[in-house]
Amino acid sequence: METVRTGADVLFILLGAIMVLAMHSGFAFLEVGTVRKKNQVNALVKILSDFAVSTIAYFFIGYSVAYGTSFLVGADVLVGKSGTGFAVQGYDLVKFFFLATFAAAIPAIVSGGIAERAKFGTQLMATAILVGLVYPTFEGMVWGSKFGFQDMMKGLFGVGFHDFAGSVVVHAVGGWIGLAAVLMLGARLGRYRRDGRLVAIPPSNIPFLALGAWILSVGWFGFNVMSAQVVADISGLVAINSLMAMVGGIVTSLLVGRNDPGFVHNGALAGLVAVCAGSDVMHPIGALATGAVAGGMFVWLFNQCQIRWKIDDVLGVWALHGMCGLMGGIACGVFGQESLGGLGGVSLGAQITGTLGGAAFGLVGGLAVYGGLKAAFGIRLSDEEEFAGADLSIHQIGAYPEDAISVHDDGLAMSVHASNAAAKRSA
């Protein structure tokens, strides 16, 4: 029976890891649908490459930073056949896989904010540093025993800081790192006129944007429910709270966003971001309220950033992940209370302290990483590269290469650039 139980736990968390891995395609398509056509290839390659670098950095450095566990031992030890420290049947390996998909969400979040003008190479460097050192430090503080953070919280408030599935650890930290990166990069060329007025840049493909949001929404039930990490701790409450928060975010973003499809699809994600922290302790009505607040807040903050504050955060990652994650961490301390139908065991004081600490940690870490890379290597494409688009400038191919083909008078298929050059020579 012990073997069966362990095998079930291995399969359970493996399925969760696969679901969260699939969410990264959602990040990719959400960005593809939002950016202009000349940057769609870059969005796809960037998310996939960031995931690969994240996994390597987390395997060799990050997981050890967070939990003090190293995988540099024999395979017999890793699967629990000899030695100590690792569970049998490779449970710790699939647990790493699951948590690695969380860690890789940090650069995937940042990617949406810095889209269309960030250098590819320096972004991969940033990914390695963020996932190898910055993110796992805070992860270890909240989900591990690093620096005695949780002991300190229990001493101050009687209970620890509660973040069941990462409203703060993943989303708020990632969103505030994203804000730092966006501020370091500056606005896209032509985003604002000389008088400061906003120049509209509509999404390039609403169906792709919607596809990305749907993939993320479905995968989120693995993100939240499988955060239990063992079969015995599965809770249907987490699933229904995730559902209620998602629909709450959709409804308010629909109303506040005046039927805008971009806001509606991101509103679902806003609700899911906010409910992660307290999805295991809230009443479903509390989860619905949390998601509803998050959906409306996202729309308002996105517009404030772009129009009033001149912060060119392309996908609104600070509003969506940074601020909705922050709100969700605090909402856990409100709607998790028994007096409001929750299961209790949370403290509003602990939630405010831990949440604000996570936001500050992400902002400072982001400024340090992107500030250092900016000084050392530069983090932004040249004006010429940005104008041509990241697809051609970095990857030498566009998302729709047939659009760049024209037929010359002699019947040969030539690129637009070659055709123009031939025309100039003939002139």
Side-chain angles (χ1 to χ4, degrees), residues 153-390:
M153 298 295 280
K154 290 175 184 177
L156 290 173
F157 304 104
V159 295
F161 171 59
H162 190 88
D163 189 6
F164 179 70
S167 285
V168 179
V169 174
V170 178
H171 297 287
V173 169
W176 285 84
I177 290 173
L179 175 64
V182 168
L183 294 175
M184 286 287 176
L185 276 169
R188 288 169 288 176
L189 292 177
R191 182 55 164 156
Y192 299 100
R193 302 183 188 276
R194 291 183 179 180
D195 61 4
R197 286 187 298 167
L198 179 74
V199 176
I201 301 178
S204 62
N205 192 308
I206 294 297
F208 275 162
L209 185 157
L211 175 63
W214 271 106
I215 294 172
L216 284 165
S217 297
V218 173
W220 222 295
F221 289 85
F223 194 98
N224 284 1
V225 175
M226 269 72 164
S227 286
Q229 299 189 14
V230 292
V231 173
D233 292 339
I234 298 174
S235 172
L237 182 65
V238 176
I240 196 65
N241 282 345
S242 301
L243 177 66
M244 297 301 284
M246 181 183 78
V247 298
I250 292 170
V251 171
T252 55
S253 61
L254 179 68
L255 296 174
V256 178
R258 300 179 181 180
N259 304 328
D260 182 281
F263 285 144
V264 171
H265 287 91
N266 277 284
L269 307 182
L272 287 163
V273 165
V275 82
C276 287
S279 57
D280 63 326
V281 295
M282 290 181 179
H283 188 280
I285 296 176
L288 178 65
T290 298
V293 172
M297 188 172 74
F298 167 73
V299 175
W300 183 80
L301 282 172
F302 182 88
N303 287 329
Q304 287 291 111
C305 281
Q306 300 289 341
I307 300 171
R308 298 286 298 276
W309 302 333
K310 306 296 187 294
I311 299 174
D312 190 17
D313 179 354
V314 180
L315 268 67
V317 299
W318 176 69
L320 180 63
H321 298 275
M323 290 302 293
C324 290
L326 186 149
M327 188 276 289
I330 296 173
C332 173
V334 177
F335 294 111
Q337 301 288 343
E338 291 184 33
S339 59
L340 291 177
L343 296 181
V346 294
S347 161
L348 181 58
Q351 292 307 115
I352 292 173
T353 303
T355 298
L356 294 180
F361 185 90
L363 180 61
V364 172
L367 290 172
V369 171
Y370 283 97
L373 289 173
K374 182 177 182 179
F377 306 104
I379 58 175
R380 181 164 180 155
L381 296 173
S382 68
D383 289 354
E384 293 78 11
E385 290 171 328
E386 184 180 341
F387 181 78

Side-chain angles (χ1 to χ4, degrees), residues 61-71 86 140 145-146:
I61 303 172
Y63 196 78
S64 179
V65 170
Y67 304 107
T69 300
S70 172
F71 297 109
F86 287 90
S145 57
K146 202 168 186 65

